[in-house]
Structure formats: structure tokens, C-alpha cells
């Protein structure tokens, strides 16, 4: 029995696992997405499932998996528990999920590994051996994590702030938007997005390793990749021609200044009233000399400089209307086209985000009006400015999406919604920020200490416990 946990709407990987298992003679019941823990447990008992598989993409799903494991233990279930999804890892599974459930927790990297694990789990003798080996591996991992590390420990927040990115603020580096304010793009032509598709992640979705277009000539997976690509291009042409999907976007370019590790978004250029405080986190990992402990707020001019800076916010989707076709495919038991359409919708949403960012740089903000880049240069992000998204390495807190959706009125302007765990609906959606400073660059936040957890919680007006649940993968072991 498979399920995407409560609050999470992403199921492409889980669906591929289900298809692979069925092809290997497993009977698979898929409960779908956003499945509450009580339903997972009740159905596992009702069905007499041999194995329970939990999937999730966003960070809050990690805590939901832990809660399900703990409740399975409390209710006395004995099915082995398989864990998978983009944010899961052997480390998190060992530290947080395995201790909650005594009857076997197994992290599965991808669909290709699922069959081998499942086959062992349905044979009592093999299950016992695998369970003992996995438990020993997890125990050893926990022991290593609790012991000494070769890395220097994270630094206190005060020290990290003292080592912030030092920008020599100059008004010449700050460009006022040519078209400031909020903008809505309705029923955006999908054909305009096709040239911006990055096909490499599409093949990764299907667990085919290699970069596009080289993967099409790969000695090992080339034939499969070519066949998949042909099917994808045919469906892409059809969905555009027959309007299976529609795309919408809302974005805004507003006056803003940094306030410590936060960015204040103002109502107008007078900068008297604050529209919203956007909260960001700072790297606390020990840095070599000359390397800064970065925070996204470092890329916006501090209020005390007296300079008039700006920040962009965006939300785009290419998944509106997808449910009708997915219901049609489900009625036909056509798993392949179901997964293919979801994967293409995801690629179109990412292409929309890339295309819109280019238009913002050239037309709306206008700081790169003369930019001329080829598609591979766009994919390689060879342009000035960044568009980080909540939930990604520089800003892993998904809850900041609430502010983006509220500021942009994404439900009203783009027909997009957030689940209780901050997944976006439709699933083929992207939201985030636009930073324009020439020094703006992506980074990985890394581990944060308790002093930043408490400071961040105070700034967000939430409890430290809430923040710990939002940042499980970033909490430093202390």
C-alpha cells in the first residue's frame, strides 16, 4: 500500500514505484496524495497490506512520516515501512523515523530499488535478515552522527552575522523597475514556454541518468530515452493543440530594504508603511577566510544605507485543468500517460518560471534590457539575478510561501492554493523571489543552531517547536 503523506501533493515518483511493483507481480493499492496518517493506518489494517510505503517531496512531509511511524508503533502494526521521496535520506530516516517504529523502516532511494527491497520484505527469512542489517546500518549511522566530525562545528549566529556578505552598496547597482507593481498573466500561451524546457530533469524523473541531449545517444539508456522523448514531444504537441492545460502567473516588483536577516516590503516608494516582513535564514557553517556566511537578505540594500532597493515575488502554474485528463487516464488504467502528463506539466511550470524571469529582467524590472542568451545559457543561469524558492537550499522554510501567496493573491490572480503543509496546487507550480543585485548568487543554507531557531521563531512570531518541524534537515546536532 502506497500513499503520499498529509499535506503533500507530489506523486510522480510514487506512481512510478507503483507501476514498477505491479510489473513485478505485486498487488499495489495507492491511496493517492495528501493522505492523513489515520487513513494510512486504517487502510493498511483493512487491506492486510504486507508493506506500507510512504512518499513525500516537501520538507514538512518528513515530520508527517515520523508521526505515521510513531502511530503505527502505538497501534501495534507489524508491516515493514518503506520510505521514499526527494527530501528523504538515509540520515533522516535513521535519526528520526527508524527510532519510532520497531518493525522495520527501510529507506528506498528510487523506484529501481523498490522491487528488490519489497521482494525481500515479503519473505519472512529474508525480511528478518534485511531488517537486522538495516537496523545495524541505521544504528551505526546514528553513532557516527553523535560522534566527532571532521567538519568544524557551526558558529554562533552573532559570529555568522558578523561575517555577512560585505557588499559595497552603490546606487549605480540598484535599478528601479521600469514597470513596478503587481502584474497578472492569464492563459499564457504554452507554445511560448516550450523553448525554455530543461529536458534533463524530465529524464531524471524517469530515473534515466544523463544530460539532454547527450542522453539520447547514450550507449546504455539512449534507446529508451529516445522512445520516451518521442512520446513526450507528441503529447506536448497534443496538449498544446487541444488545450489540456492552461498557465497563469502573477508577479510583483515592490520597494524593499533589508532589516538584518529580513527584507521589508513596502507599500510604496515613500517607504513609510511596511507591507510585509519576509524572513530568511543565515548560513552558520564555519567558513574559510574570505568566505561569507550568506543570507538572502544580504542581496537587498539595508534600510540604513538610505538607498531605494526593490524585490520581486512571483507565482506561476502550468497545471490548471490537468485533473480532467488525469481522470480520463485513470479510467483507462493508463499509468504511463498519467505520469507522462504530470512530468510535462512540471517541466512547463519550470519553463514558465525561467521564461518569466527573463521577461522581468528585460522588460518589467529592466536591469538587463539588452540581455541576449541562448537556451543552454539560461538553463546554466548565466544571467544577473536569482529566483530562489521557499523550500530550496538557500531558504528551506516552506511556510514563507504563505506570505508570497498573500501578497500576490495567488488564489485570486493565478488560481493557485497552498495545502496545510505548504504544497502548491496545482502541483505543477513554482513560486519564489527575484533578487537583482549583481552579487546575488545561490547557496546552500546548511546546518543551523538553536540560537538561530529561536531568533527566527521570534521574527516570524511562531514557536521554536514550529520552526524545528519546518527545518528538520537543517538542524545541527548539538
Amino acid at each position: 500500500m502506497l500513499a503520499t503523506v498529509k499535506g503533500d501533493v507530489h506523486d510522480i515518483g510514487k506512481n512510478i514505484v507503483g507501476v514498477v511493483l505491479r510489473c513485478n507481480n505485486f498487488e499495489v493499492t495507492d491511496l493517492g496524495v495528501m493522505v492523513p496518517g489515520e487513513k494510512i493506518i486504517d487502510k493498511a489494517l483493512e487491506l492486510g497490506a504486507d508493506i506500507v510505503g510512504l512518499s513525500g517531496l516537501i520538507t514538512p512531509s518528513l515530520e508527517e512520516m515520523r508521526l505515521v511511524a510513531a502511530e503505527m508503533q502505538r497501534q501495534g502494526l507489524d508491516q515493514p515501512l518503506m520510505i521514499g521521496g526527494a527530501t528523504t535520506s538515509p540520515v533522516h530516516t535513521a535519526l528520526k523515523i527508524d527510532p519510532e517504529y520497531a518493525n522495520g523502516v527501510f529507506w528506498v532511494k528510487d523506484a529501481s530499488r523498490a522491487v528488490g527491497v519489497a521482494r525481500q520484505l515479503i519473505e519472512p527469512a529474508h525480511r528478518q535478515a534485511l531488517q537486522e542489517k538495516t537496523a545495524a546500518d541505521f544504528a551505526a549511522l546514528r553513532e557516527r552522527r553523535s560522534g566527532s566530525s571532521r567538519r568544524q562545528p557551526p558558529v554562533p549566529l552573532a559570529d555568522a552575522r558578523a561575517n555577512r556578505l560585505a557588499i559595497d552598496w552603490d546606487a549605480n547597482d540598484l535599478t528601479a523597475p521600469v514597470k513596478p507593481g503587481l502584474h497578472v498573466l492569464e492563459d499564457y500561451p504554452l507554445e511560448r514556454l516550450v523553448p525554455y524546457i530543461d529536458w534533463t530533469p524530465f529524464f531524471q524523473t524517469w530515473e534515466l541518468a544523463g544530460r539532454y541531449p547527450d542522453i539520447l545517444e547514450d550507449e546504455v539508456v539512449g534507446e529508451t530515452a529516445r522512445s520516451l522523448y518521442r512520446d513526450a514531444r507528441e503529447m506536448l504537441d497534443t496538449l498544446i493543440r487541444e488545450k489540456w492545460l492552461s498557465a497563469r502567473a502573477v508577479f510583483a516588483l515592490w520597494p524593499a530594504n533589508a532589516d538584518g536577516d529580513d527584507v521589508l516590503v513596502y507599500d510604496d516608494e515613500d517607504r513609510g508603511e511596511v507591507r510585509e516582513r519576509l524572513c530568511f535564514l543565515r548560513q552558520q557553517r564555519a567558513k574559510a577566510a574570505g568566505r561569507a556566511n550568506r543570507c538572502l537578505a544580504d542581496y537587498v540594500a539595508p534600510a540604513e544605507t538610505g538607498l531605494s532597493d526593490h524585490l520581486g515575488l512571483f507565482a506561476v502554474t502550468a497545471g490548471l485543468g490537468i485533473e480532467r485528463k488525469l481522470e480520463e487516464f485513470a479510467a483507462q488504467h493508463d499509468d504511463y500517460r498519467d505520469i507522462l502528463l504530470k512530468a510535462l506539466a512540471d517541466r512547463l511550470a519550470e519553463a514558465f518560471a525561467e521564461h518569466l524571469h527573463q521577461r522581468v529582467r528585460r522588460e518589467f524590472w529592466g536591469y538587463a534590457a539588452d540581455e541576449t542568451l541562448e537556451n543552454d545559457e539560461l538553463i546554466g543561469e548565466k544571467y544577473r539575478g536569482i529566483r530562489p524558492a521557499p523550500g530550496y537550499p538557500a531558504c528551506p522554510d516552506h511556510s514563507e510561501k504563505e506570505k508570497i501567496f498573500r501578497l500576490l493573491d495567488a488564489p485570486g490572480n493565478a488560481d493557485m492554493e497552498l495545502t496545510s503543509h505548504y504544497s502548491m496546487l496545482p502541483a505543477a507550480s513554482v513560486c519564489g523571489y527575484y533578487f537583482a543585485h549583481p552579487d546575488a548568487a545561490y547557496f546552500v543554507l546548511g546546518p543551523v543552531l538553536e540560537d538561530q531557531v529561536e531568533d527566527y521563531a521570534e521574527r516570524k512570531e511562531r514557536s521554536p517547536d514550529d520552526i524545528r518541524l519546518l527545518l528538520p534537515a537543517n538542524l545541527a546536532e548539538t
Side-chain angles (χ1 to χ4, degrees):
M1 190 190 76
L2 300 174
T4 299
V5 294
K6 177 182 175 182
D8 201 319
V9 301
H10 301 276
D11 65 351
I12 295 179
K14 171 177 64 69
N15 291 350
I16 293 175
V17 169
V19 169
V20 172
L21 287 171
R22 289 187 185 100
C23 288
N24 284 270
N25 299 316
F26 283 86
E27 181 181 343
V28 179
T29 298
D30 189 339
L31 301 185
V33 299
M34 294 196 294
V35 186
E38 57 268 24
K39 181 177 180 180
I40 292 171
I41 292 171
D42 289 348
K43 291 297 290 185
L45 292 170
E46 175 189 329
L47 296 168
D50 296 298
I51 304 169
V52 175
L54 302 182
S55 176
L57 178 70
I58 60 175
T59 309
S61 298
L62 297 175
E63 174 62 11
E64 192 64 31
M65 291 177 183
R66 186 193 68 80
L67 293 174
V68 173
E71 186 62 16
M72 288 175 66
Q73 179 70 25
R74 190 187 72 81
Q75 293 196 30
L77 275 71
D78 62 0
Q79 290 96 335
L81 180 60
M82 290 172 59
I83 299 293
T87 58
T88 64
S89 69
V91 172
H92 182 271
T93 305
L95 294 178
K96 302 296 184 181
I97 303 178
D98 180 66
E100 299 284 1
Y101 188 60
N103 289 307
V105 178
F106 306 88
W107 178 72
V108 182
K109 183 178 181 179
D110 52 45
S112 65
R113 317 287 177 91
V115 173
V117 173
R119 280 176 173 162
Q120 293 181 73
L121 293 179
I122 60 173
E123 295 291 341
H126 292 160
R127 172 183 170 179
Q128 183 66 25
L130 180 61
Q131 187 168 334
E132 290 176 358
K133 179 183 183 303
T134 302
D137 290 344
F138 282 164
L141 203 160
R142 289 192 291 269
E143 181 67 23
R144 289 196 301 272
R145 292 281 293 192
S146 65
S148 61
S149 171
R150 294 181 180 180
R151 283 187 180 272
Q152 290 182 289
V155 301
L157 181 58
D159 293 352
R161 285 174 170 164
N163 190 43
R164 69 189 304 120
L165 182 67
I167 291 179
D168 185 12
W169 290 102
D170 187 330
N172 293 325
D173 291 329
L174 308 181
T175 304
V178 175
K179 299 177 182 179
L182 187 140
H183 307 268
V184 177
L185 303 176
E186 297 183 354
D187 198 17
Y188 203 79
L190 294 178
E191 58 269 23
R192 292 189 64 180
L193 308 181
V194 174
Y196 296 84
I197 291 177
D198 182 359
W199 286 100
T200 298
F202 171 80
F203 291 105
Q204 291 171 345
T205 296
W206 296 85
E207 298 180 10
L208 296 176
R211 296 189 62 81
Y212 175 84
D214 296 343
I215 191 173
L216 301 178
E217 304 303 326
D218 185 90
E219 292 183 1
V220 178
V221 301
E223 183 176 352
T224 301
R226 288 191 298 273
S227 175
L228 178 62
Y229 184 63
R230 282 194 300 270
D231 290 347
R233 293 303 302 228
E234 288 177 5
M235 178 177 280
L236 185 59
D237 291 343
T238 302
L239 72 85
I240 292 173
R241 183 176 63 254
E242 298 182 1
K243 299 185 181 301
W244 292 2
L245 307 174
S246 63
R248 297 181 69 173
V250 56
F251 66 99
L253 304 172
W254 279 319
N257 284 111
D259 178 28
D261 292 351
D262 298 338
V263 174
L264 304 180
V265 178
Y266 299 105
D267 279 338
D268 52 46
E269 288 294 349
D270 291 339
R271 299 172 189 255
E273 297 294 327
V274 175
R275 188 188 299 258
E276 187 63 82
R277 174 181 290 271
L278 305 177
C279 299
F280 297 106
L281 291 151
R282 183 171 296 280
Q283 291 177 314
Q284 288 189 265
R285 180 162 283 156
K287 298 287 187 174
R291 301 191 64 183
N293 291 83
R294 293 180 181 243
C295 172
L296 288 174
D298 292 347
Y299 303 144
V300 180
E304 58 266 26
T305 64
L307 296 174
S308 298
D309 208 347
H310 295 78
L311 181 77
L313 304 171
F314 73 93
V316 305
T317 182
L320 296 169
I322 195 173
E323 294 81 6
R324 181 177 61 84
K325 293 304 296 186
L326 294 180
E327 289 171 0
E328 179 182 316
F329 294 153
Q332 299 167 353
H333 304 288
D334 193 336
D335 293 324
Y336 178 62
R337 288 205 294 168
D338 176 287
I339 296 169
L340 192 60
L341 178 57
K342 289 176 181 176
L344 286 172
D346 281 354
R347 288 298 89 217
L348 285 168
E350 293 290 348
F352 199 178
E354 188 70 77
H355 171 58
L356 182 59
H357 192 195
Q358 183 185 60
R359 289 195 63 189
V360 166
R361 296 191 303 272
R362 290 175 170 178
E363 304 171 37
F364 294 92
W365 203 323
Y367 63 82
D370 298 328
E371 177 190 291
T372 56
L373 295 174
E374 299 296 330
N375 192 44
D376 58 339
E377 294 174 303
L378 290 173
I379 292 172
E381 298 164 352
K382 302 299 183 183
Y383 43 76
R384 170 182 159 181
I386 58 173
R387 53 174 178 89
Y392 282 76
C395 44
D397 176 9
H398 283 270
S399 73
E400 286 289 299
K401 291 177 187 172
E402 288 183 324
K403 298 176 183 177
I404 295 175
F405 270 55
R406 183 168 61 247
L407 287 166
L408 298 177
D409 185 16
N413 287 323
D415 204 12
M416 296 169 60
E417 299 177 9
L418 285 178
T419 72
S420 60
H421 285 39
Y422 315 110
S423 270
M424 289 178 284
L425 289 170
S429 300
V430 185
C431 75
Y433 316 96
Y434 295 136
F435 292 88
H437 194 275
D439 290 345
Y442 295 104
F443 60 86
V444 176
L445 176 67
V448 297
L449 291 172
E450 185 65 21
D451 58 355
Q452 183 160 201
V453 169
E454 294 181 358
D455 180 271
Y456 188 66
E458 182 176 352
R459 286 150 48 204
K460 283 177 65 75
E461 299 182 346
R462 298 185 66 159
S463 74
D465 284 343
D466 285 346
I467 303 304
R468 293 185 194 101
L469 295 181
L470 291 167
L471 304 172
N474 292 91
L475 298 178
E477 295 296 312
T478 56

